[in-house]
Amino acid sequence: MSDVAMSESELAELHRELRVVARDLLRRNAAKAGPDQTYPTVDWSLLVDTGWLGLEIPEEFDGAGATFAEVAVVLHELGRAAASTPYLGTAVLGVGALGLLEAGAARDELLRAVAAGEQRPALALPTGDSDGDVTAFRLAAAPVSEGDQPGAGRMVVSGSADFVPDAAGADRILLLAADESGTPVVVAVRPTDPGVTVSDRPVLDETRHLGTVVVEGTEVDPGAVWRFRGTDPAASAASARRLLDRAALAVACDSLGLAEAMLEATVEYAGTRRQFGRPIGSFQAVKHACADMHVKITVGRELLAAAVRALAAAEDPAGPHDQEISVAVSRAKSYLGAAAVDIAGAAMQLHGGIGYTWEGGVHVYLKRALLGRSLFGAPAAHRARLAARFTAL
Amino acid sequence: MTIPTGSGGSTGSGGSTASGASVAGPVDLAEFRAEVQRWCRENVPSDWRRAQTGASAEEFAAFQQDWFQQLRAAGYAVPHWPAEWGGGMPVAQQVVLYQELAAHDAPRLVLGFVSIHHAASTLLVAGTDEQRRRHLPAILDGEIWVQGFSEPEAGSDLASLRTVARRDGDTFVVDGQKLWASGAAHADWCLLLARTDPDAPKRKGISYFLMDMRSPGVDVRPVRNAIGDSHFCEIFLNGVVIPAENLVGPVNAGWQVAQATLAAERGMTMLELAERLGNAGFRWLVDTCRTPGPGGGRPVDDPRVADRLAELETEITGLRALCRGLVERHEADTAGPADASVVKLFYSELLQRTMDFAVEVAGLPAHAELRKPASSGWESGAWVLDFIGSWEWTIPGGTSEIQRTIIGERGLGLPREPAASA
Ligand SMILES: Cc1cc2nc3c(=O)[nH]c(=O)nc-3n(C[C@H](O)[C@H](O)[C@H](O)COP(=O)(O)OP(=O)(O)OC[C@H]3O[C@@H](n4cnc5c(N)ncnc54)[C@H](O)[C@@H]3O)c2cc1C
C-alpha cells in the first residue's frame, strides 16, 4: 500500500474516474461479443493493459499499490456488464492471498509476474457455506522412505476444493491448507504437478468459469509453502478468514453492479414499451416494482460501502478489527446476494416475453445473480454468522 | 498510490491531506459521546415510563414541556437547526446524540415534533425574517405546532383540499375542516393550507398560513386512534380571521411551500428515528428473543428466529447509513428528488416488519400489555401496540403507495400516470 494518504474527496474522484473508464471499456468490449453470446468477454490482455490485474499489488512489484476499495470499483463494473473474466480468481483472490503472506523470493516473484500479466494464479478455498473449517487442504511431512536424502523436508499436500473461480487455465494454484499443527498456510502448486487435477466445473451461469481442484499426495518442497504474515496460528487463522470475507465481498460488489444494470434496463424498457395506449411504466404495478428495486439497491449500496471501507482498512492499525470486518461483510453479502436475485427476477417479469428470451439477455443476469447468491456463503449462512452474536450469552 | 485508469492522465498523486481528519469536525466524537452519556445518566428520569403510562393529557403535555427544556438547556433540543437559531450541530455528532438518547431510553419529543421539524423547516425555508424571529425563539420556549393539511376529501390527493381562505382587506377569512391533525388539542399554532383561488388549477390556488389556534372560530375535536389514544384531531374552521402577514410565501404559492414541510417529514426526522430503531427497538427485540418462553426455551435458539434477527439487523444498519447519507446530502444540497421518499418508505415498512416479528416472538403475553407509556412514540416495548402504531408511519406524510410513485416518477424518471378526470 502506498504511504501517500488521500483525502476522502480525492479518493471519491479517483473512484469516479476509474468507474467511468471501466464502464466505457466494458461497453466497447460488449460490442465485440459474438452473435450468440449475450455477455462481454474481457480477455486477459485487457486486464493487463488496464492495470486492473495489479491494482492491489504493491508498487515495488510493479503494481498500483491501491486497496480493495479500488478493486471493488472494478468488480462492481464487471458485475454491471455481466462480464466474463478471470478477474475474480486472479486479481481478487490470487493477489489477495499473496498480499497477506510473508514476503519471500518466490512470492514476490509471482506478484511481479502477475502484475506483468505473465502468470495467472487461482486460489483454492472453500466456496460453500461451511463456517468452521476455512482450509480445504492438508499439509504433512512426506513419509521418509529408504532411499531419501536426509533433511530434504519435503511435504505432501492433499485435499480438494470445488467451484473454484478461474481454476482451469491458471498457471499456479494457491491451496489454502492447514499444516500439521492446524495453522493455515498457502501451498503453491502447478496444475501439471503429479497428483494435481484441475478440471472445469461447468455451471449454468456461463459468464463464470469455475473449476474443481483435486490434490492427491502431491509432494512439495518447503519453498512452495508460504506462511501468512505474523505466522502465529491465531493471526494466520484470521488471515484465512479474511480471504473468505474478501471472496464474499467481491461477489457482493458484483451483485450490486448487476442489480443496478437490471434496474436501469427495466426502467428504460418500461418507459418505451406501450400497452393499453400508454407506457407500461405509467402503470403503478410496474412503477412500484421499480421503486422497490431502487430501494433495495440503495440500501445494499450503503451496506456494501461500509463493508468495503472496513476491508480496505484492515491493515490499518487504527482500522476495524476482524470481527467488525466479518460482520460488515456478512451483512453486505447476505443482503445483496438476495436482493440481486429479486431484482433480476423482477426485471425478467417486467420485460414480459422478451425478458424470457435467450437473446434478451436478462437470463444472463439472473443466472449470475443466482450463482453469486450461493458462492462464498448463501444469505442464510451469513445471517447465521451474524446471529451468533445474539445467541451467545 | 498510482492507479491506472486508462485515461492517460495521472491521477491520485501529489500532496494530499491526511484522510479522515475532516470527518469528525472540531469536536471529538468519543468525547462528545461520553458527555451525552453522562448527561443522560444524570437527567433521564428513571421512572418516566411508569409515570407516563395512563397519564392524563395535561400530565403528558407538562412532562413533554419539562423534558424539552431540559434538552434545550443541554443544547440537545434542536441540534439540526442552524447555529444562529440555537442548533448547528454537525451531522456526525447528531447521530451520536440520538444513539445515546436511544440507548438510555430517553423520552421522545412527541409533542414538539411538528414544532421543531415541520414548523421550523417551513419558516427557515420560506418564512419572513419577522416570522422567524416571532416563532423560532417561541418554539424553544415551548410553543406547540400542528400541521393542518389533510381534509376528509383530501388525503393522498392533498391538492384537492377544500378549506377556503377569502381575502378581506389585511386579513383572510377561513372556512373549512381539517382532519387527522396530530397533537391539535395541545397546539398553539397551526401550519394551514387553504384554497385562495377556487378557479385556478388545483395546485395553483393554494396558500400557506400560520394560524393562531386561539383564534375565534377554531374548534378542535379529538379523534380516537387505533391504539386507543386521542392524539390526532379534527379541526373545524368557521370564519377564522388570519392577518395577511401570516402568509408564508406568496399568495397561491402554498403548494411549493408545503413541499418543504413534507420533505422534512419524509427525510430529516428519520435520523433520530433510525437510531431509535437501532438502539432501542432492536435491542429490546433481542432481549425479547433471549427471554425464555413458557416451555423454558429461548426464541433466539430457534434458527428461524436467529435468521430473522440477523436479517432485520442488517436492514436497520442499512437504514441508519441511508439516513445519515440523506442528511449530509441535504446539507450539501446534493440530495436527489426522491431520496427522502426512499428513506421514509424503507424506514416505515422496516419498522412495521420489525414490530410484526416482535409480536410474533413475544406471543400471548404481549397481548396482555394493555397500555403503553405516553412520550414514547412507537418504541414502548408493548409490542402489539407498537406494531399497530407502526401504521402511523406508513400512512401519514404520503402513504407507502404514494412514496413508490414518487420514487418511480421523480427518482427513476418513469412516465407519469395519465391525469384522472377532475
Ligand atoms: C397517525 C396519523 C397522523 C396524521 N397526522 C397528520 C397531521 O398531523 N396533519 C395532517 O395534515 N395530516 C395528518 N395525517 C393524515 C395523512 O397525511 C393522511 O391520512 C394520508 O395522506 C392519507 O390520506 P387518506 O387518509 O385520505 O387516505 P387516502 O388518500 O384515501 O388513501 C387510502 C388508500 O388509497 C391509497 N391511494 C390513494 N391514492 C392513491 C394513488 N394515487 N395511487 C395508489 N394508491 C393510492 C393510499 O395509499 C391508501 O392506501 C395523519 C394520518 C395518520 C394516520
Side-chain angles (χ1 to χ4, degrees), chain A residues 284, chain B residues 147-150 155-156 179-182 232 392 395-399 401-402:
Chain A
Q284 281 195 353
Chain B
Q147 188 186 53
F149 286 9
S150 305
S156 299
L179 195 53
W180 318 129
S182 299
F232 58 23
E392 287 190 21
I395 297 173
T399 64
E401 291 72 26
I402 297 300

Side-chain angles (χ1 to χ4, degrees), chain A residues 2-8 10-11 14-15 17-18 21-22 25 49-52 55 59 63-67 70 263 266-268 270-271 278-284 286-292 294-295 298-299 302-303 327 330-332 334-335 379-384 386-387 389-393, chain B residues 1-7 9-20 22-23 282 286 290 298 300-302 305-315 317-319 321-323 325-326 329 338-339 341-342 345-346 349 400-409 411-418:
Chain A
S2 162
D3 44 14
V4 185
M6 293 184 129
S7 76
E8 258 183 66
E10 281 174 312
L11 213 51
L14 179 78
H15 289 174
E17 196 170 331
L18 187 57
V21 171
L25 270 175
D49 294 346
T50 50
W52 294 347
L55 272 180
E59 281 158 314
T67 70
E70 290 73 45
L263 173 60
T266 305
V267 166
E268 195 184 313
R278 44 194 268 218
I280 57 167
S282 68
F283 293 108
Q284 281 195 353
V286 173
K287 183 178 292 170
H288 290 187
C290 290
D292 286 335
H294 177 68
V295 171
T298 310
V299 174
E302 295 288 352
L303 292 169
V327 163
S330 284
R331 283 178 185 144
S334 60
Y335 191 85
H382 281 283
R383 288 196 296 265
L386 292 171
R389 290 141 60 236
F390 306 130
T391 43
L393 273 169
Chain B
M1 72 189 144
T2 49
I3 294 188
T5 57
S7 64
S10 87
T11 53
S13 55
S16 50
T17 59
S19 66
S22 62
V23 185
F282 185 76
V286 172
R290 289 164 63 139
R298 303 184 310 166
V300 74
D301 294 321
D302 176 342
V305 170
D307 184 74
R308 279 304 299 283
L309 273 185
E311 186 177 26
L312 290 168
E313 194 227 15
T314 295
E315 291 183 288
T317 305
L319 169 77
L322 212 58
C323 290
L326 174 68
R329 284 198 303 282
D339 287 6
S341 289
V342 170
L345 175 64
F346 186 63
E349 295 195 344
S400 299
E401 291 72 26
I402 297 300
Q403 303 303 343
R404 286 190 168 85
T405 296
I406 292 172
I407 293 166
E409 293 180 359
L412 300 173
L414 284 165
R416 304 179 69 88
E417 282 169 69

